[in-house]
Amino acid sequence: MIGWGRMLFGCHLSIREGYLGAAKAAEKMNASAYQYFPKNPRSLTVKDFDQEDARLCRDFCEEHGIFSIAHTPYPTSLTPHPEKQDLTINSLLNDLDIANCCGSAGVVVHFGSPISSRDPLAGYHLMIEMLNKVLRQWDGPCLILLENTAGHPGTMGTIIEELVQVRSLCDYPDKIGFCLDTCHAFASDLWNGDNLEEFLQKGEELNYFEHLKAIHFNNSKYPAGSGKDRHANIFNTGHITEKQFDEFVKAEPFKKLPFILETPSDEGIKHADEVALLIKKWVNSTDVI
């Protein structure tokens, strides 16, 4: 795991003002981590990006001790239809190139989905094939970060075993890490707020936490096990309680990992204010170990 020696909090930020602009926006709100889309979030088109802007972003983050990750565009799928496979591979390589130039630790990619009702393993086989095709062409330090999904229990990508197994079966496991989404974990019953010890034990046994690089820090608008991916703000509005989050944040595997909000910014609290609340509670609080 990343050893930052301190707790990191931040949120998803726009690159409307460029990659350096996003980093400066993080610093302005006193965030120590952030996430961004490396290009148009609704397109897989390869972007001819401003490399100087990306390098300035990297230098700024290094100077200010800011952690960053990128997130693939919405259409990205590790189980795409055959006609979109080459487009997806080229897009992922482009995302990795941009994120690497920005000094980011990795690019978050959603776990795949079933592609055959007759063969439940077909989706996993295609995921591994796609990852191998991408990573065969990638030599940078920036990782692909597989994210757990928010489906009902039994849906692809909802349990630690799947994430770990897909990574281990790839030809390039050292180029793959994980990103844990708390809303997704809650929705899929992986972590339901009351089974933290069981969740921690399972993650330790399967060596999941060693490769966990970031946490998407989101509350859930629906109860545990709902299978619904609807993010809520951390405090007061979701089904995950403040006590449950407090136990989670202070758990040993997560103490030095970046917590990055993907919460609504138009439902009563702005991201800058929400980040400030997180810092006040878990960075400036005297009861944080």
Side-chain angles (χ1 to χ4, degrees):
M1 290 189 299
I2 299 166
W4 286 84
R6 59 194 173 98
M7 302 193 78
L8 307 179
F9 291 102
C11 62
H12 187 99
L13 292 169
S14 170
I15 60 163
R16 188 177 296 109
E17 303 299 326
Y19 302 115
L20 176 60
K24 287 184 174 180
E27 195 270 339
K28 184 177 181 180
M29 68 169 63
N30 202 28
S32 47
Y34 71 98
Q35 177 181 268
Y36 61 98
F37 287 118
K39 58 193 181 203
N40 183 344
R42 303 193 182 281
S43 173
L44 295 179
T45 302
V46 169
K47 179 179 181 178
D48 183 15
F49 67 101
D50 185 338
Q51 296 193 26
E52 178 62 19
D53 180 39
R55 282 191 287 269
L56 289 171
C57 168
R58 177 198 63 202
D59 294 345
F60 184 89
C61 288
E62 288 179 357
E63 179 184 352
H64 293 85
I66 300 172
F67 171 95
S68 72
I69 53 175
H71 196 298
T72 56
Y74 296 122
T76 307
S77 170
L78 290 174
T79 50
H81 292 295
E83 65 272 14
K84 289 191 175 181
Q85 289 184 15
D86 287 343
L87 182 65
T88 301
I89 290 167
N90 291 332
S91 178
L92 274 166
L93 287 167
N94 184 224
D95 294 337
L96 284 164
D97 191 21
I98 294 170
N100 193 65
C101 200
C102 288
S104 302
V107 176
V108 177
V109 186
H110 290 159
F111 205 84
S113 55
I115 60 173
S116 171
S117 58
R118 291 176 295 177
D119 181 3
L121 296 180
Y124 299 102
H125 291 157
L126 181 54
M127 271 191 70
I128 293 166
E129 179 185 336
M130 289 290 294
L131 287 166
N132 284 339
K133 286 181 177 179
V134 171
L135 296 175
R136 188 179 297 125
Q137 303 175 66
W138 177 248
D139 291 322
C142 190
L143 302 174
I144 278 186
L145 303 178
L146 296 177
E147 181 178 358
N148 59 305
T149 55
H152 288 287
T155 306
M156 277 182 68
T158 59
I159 60 175
I160 295 175
E161 287 88 344
E162 295 170 279
L163 294 152
V164 170
Q165 186 74 333
V166 165
R167 179 183 180 276
S168 67
L169 290 174
C170 282
D171 294 338
Y172 310 94
D174 290 344
K175 299 180 182 181
I176 300 172
F178 302 119
C179 175
L180 174 65
D181 188 300
T182 54
C183 173
H184 297 181
F186 192 74
S188 66
D189 225 23
L190 173 62
W191 169 64
N192 60 27
D194 297 321
N195 66 340
L196 182 61
E197 288 306 315
E198 177 186 337
F199 173 67
L200 294 176
Q201 182 177 349
K202 177 72 71 173
E204 199 66 41
E205 289 174 355
L206 296 174
N207 211 28
Y208 170 76
F209 297 129
E210 181 178 344
H211 306 290
L212 181 61
K213 304 302 180 184
I215 293 170
H216 283 167
F217 201 41
N218 303 307
N219 209 324
S220 173
K221 290 188 176 181
Y222 290 92
S226 67
K228 296 181 179 180
D229 181 10
R230 292 294 302 278
H231 298 183
N233 296 104
I234 298 301
F235 303 114
N236 302 325
T237 62
H239 282 265
I240 305 173
T241 68
E242 189 171 332
K243 179 177 183 294
Q244 289 168 334
F245 270 136
D246 192 56
E247 292 170 348
F248 183 95
V249 168
K250 294 178 181 178
E252 192 60 40
F254 311 132
K255 285 180 179 177
K256 303 298 187 292
L257 285 176
F259 287 76
I260 298 173
L261 297 168
E262 294 179 316
T263 52
S265 59
D266 57 353
E267 297 185 6
I269 184 170
K270 295 181 179 179
H271 277 149
D273 296 329
E274 196 168 14
V275 169
L277 286 175
L278 301 183
I279 292 170
K280 180 179 179 181
K281 180 169 180 60
W282 284 302
V283 177
N284 297 337
S285 173
T286 56
D287 65 347
V288 173
I289 298 173

